[in-house]
Amino acid sequence: MRRILPVVLALVLALPVSAHCAEAAPQVRLRHLDLAGPAASPQSQLSGLAWHGDELLLLPQFLDFMPRPQEEAAGEKSDTPGRTSPRIFAIDRAQIVEVLQSGTPTPIMPREIPVDGPDFRKRIPGYEGFEAIAVQGDSVFLLIESRPVRSKPEMRGFLVSGELTNGRLVLNDPVAELTPPAELANMCYESAFILGDTVWALYEANGANVNPAPTALRFALDGTPLDPAPFPHVEYRITDVTAVDKDGGFWAVNFYWPGERKLLKPAEDEIGARWGSPAGSTGDHAGVERLLRCQLTPSAEKAAAIALADEPPVNLEPSLLPSNWEGAAEIAFDLNGHTVHGLLLVTDTYPVTRFAFAPLDQEQGGEVRTGDVSQ
């Protein structure tokens, strides 16, 4: 989870469009949705989204966080929040669709799903909470981030399995430990998906100057390590991915906060150079918020690597402060006889807790770029 400072105000001023492209890549305007209750609190630090049937699961970084009413009302975050019984959150798909179809800003109140399992604060040295969630049937896999020695940049990741049963999420001890490919403070495995009988975990920093040979880690469902899969160089950070569709495609959230320039040491942004970037989103001193279409190769059935699809990114309409989108899930719904596709996105605590819909088809302000959407 990033602790982003207000100094970004001085860094996100508009810069000239890249000279590599004659025009900017397309961008979409987000439809912001209002959350209510504890999930809307800045202390929730939402870190992931995933579908479990017709319910959308929202993963807080710390399952036992306790919102403070006075801070929640003021939209502020405490560095020492209280604790309560661990839980995640869920929203029925029908509730989300109703709000999207109506166009009214009706607040959505996620319900709580109690969590049973180990006390990871005591089990994992330097525990820093949960960063990703992936679901297949009732099986759940999550990623935990830790920093064993606070004075050192070394990070560790942990893969945790669990099951949704009888209205509860039951978690087990970690089934695997993940060693990052680079020593970057607060950078670890931030995204995960399940493909058949394997779990894939993606490191968040895959730029050429910090991660010479990016890979996705792969594990059997019992945590047994499998051969890693090559992943393309992508500058900045990958903060979450959607579930994989039947054709082996999925979306990745690509985010850059200029305050991390010294840490990430970004090389040339080849994606922006090829496809163009929206005004105000070029150069090392400007933020990036975009969606990248990825593809398993050579096929979903024989996936051995991840590649970028041969199509432009979807740029999110920039705002004064970049939003740290840490959760993504695909959705499709009917609107006046037309099937609308898009992504549901959620931020952590910066700049505030935001839940939004990013349309991906022309009628809604973007282009259609989806595979099979079963949700």
Side-chain angles (χ1 to χ4, degrees), residues 51-360:
W51 287 106
H52 172 239
D54 280 334
E55 63 179 3
L56 181 70
L57 304 182
L58 294 82
L59 176 71
Q61 182 177 4
F62 298 101
L63 307 187
D64 57 358
F65 83 93
M66 179 183 294
R68 296 186 174 183
Q70 68 275 20
E71 293 171 348
E72 184 176 351
E76 299 175 354
K77 172 181 174 291
S78 170
D79 289 330
T80 56
R83 299 179 189 173
T84 187
S85 298
R87 76 284 199 216
I88 62 173
F89 299 95
I91 305 172
D92 289 337
R93 179 186 181 280
Q95 190 176 5
I96 298 172
V97 170
E98 181 180 3
V99 173
L100 290 172
Q101 288 175 332
S102 68
T104 59
T106 305
I108 299 173
M109 173 74 79
R111 66 180 180 279
E112 298 187 1
I113 296 179
V115 176
D116 301 322
D119 184 346
F120 295 106
R121 293 180 184 274
K122 296 179 179 179
R123 295 287 183 93
I124 298 177
Y127 170 79
E128 292 191 347
F130 289 83
E131 294 295 344
I133 181 171
V135 179
Q136 180 172 267
D138 292 329
S139 297
V140 179
F141 285 87
L142 305 101
L143 294 177
I144 289 177
E145 178 179 280
S146 76
R147 188 174 182 177
V149 182
R150 296 297 302 174
S151 61
K152 297 182 179 180
E154 292 93 341
M155 305 293 293
R156 289 292 181 270
F158 294 86
L159 179 64
V160 174
S161 65
E163 183 179 8
L164 287 156
T165 178
N166 298 321
R168 307 180 74 86
L169 173 58
V170 181
L171 297 181
N172 306 309
D173 286 323
V175 297
E177 181 173 340
L178 292 62
T179 301
E183 292 186 359
L184 298 174
N186 214 18
M187 299 278 167
C188 204
Y189 289 88
E190 193 92 357
S191 311
F193 62 82
I194 304 172
L195 182 66
D197 57 0
T198 60
V199 183
W200 298 51
L202 277 62
Y203 187 61
E204 61 183 307
N206 300 284
N209 291 334
V210 295
N211 191 352
T215 61
L217 297 186
R218 299 194 301 164
F219 300 89
L221 299 183
D222 64 359
T224 301
L226 305 173
D227 290 339
F231 186 82
H233 277 302
V234 176
E235 296 305 318
Y236 319 130
R237 293 198 291 123
I238 298 294
T239 57
D240 200 20
V241 297
T242 64
V244 177
D245 65 34
K246 68 176 183 179
D247 297 318
F250 63 92
W251 292 94
V253 181
N254 190 203
F255 174 76
Y256 177 52
W257 173 60
E260 292 175 333
R261 181 171 61 89
K262 290 184 178 180
L263 181 66
L264 292 174
K265 302 178 178 62
E268 180 185 16
D269 176 18
E270 295 183 0
I271 297 171
R274 178 183 180 187
W275 299 106
S277 300
S281 295
T282 57
D284 287 347
H285 296 283
V288 172
E289 300 172 52
R290 63 190 176 194
L291 309 174
L292 308 178
R293 187 67 177 167
C294 299
Q295 184 69 41
L296 295 173
T297 62
S299 66
E301 294 76 18
K302 299 180 180 180
I306 298 174
L308 292 175
D310 188 25
E311 56 183 84
V314 175
N315 294 296
L316 306 181
E317 185 178 53
S319 57
L320 183 60
L321 292 174
S323 295
N324 189 22
W325 303 105
E326 292 222 350
E330 200 162 356
I331 189 172
F333 61 95
D334 180 79
L335 184 64
N336 300 323
H338 169 71
T339 299
V340 177
H341 297 90
L343 297 190
L344 294 168
L345 302 170
V346 70
T347 65
D348 65 355
T349 191
Y350 190 85
V352 294
T353 300
R354 287 177 173 165
F355 184 43
F357 172 71
L360 299 176

Side-chain angles (χ1 to χ4, degrees), residues 2-68:
R2 312 281 82 82
R3 297 182 181 274
I4 302 177
L5 302 176
V7 69
V8 69
L9 283 167
L11 300 175
V12 296
L13 299 179
L15 295 176
V17 175
S18 171
H20 292 278
C21 296
E23 58 181 301
Q27 62 185 25
V28 298
R29 177 172 296 178
L30 296 174
R31 164 78 188 281
H32 290 280
L33 308 174
D34 294 330
L35 291 177
S41 165
Q43 285 80 42
S44 69
Q45 300 183 71
L46 297 173
S47 295
L49 297 177
W51 287 106
H52 172 239
D54 280 334
E55 63 179 3
L56 181 70
L57 304 182
L58 294 82
L59 176 71
Q61 182 177 4
F62 298 101
L63 307 187
D64 57 358
F65 83 93
M66 179 183 294
R68 296 186 174 183

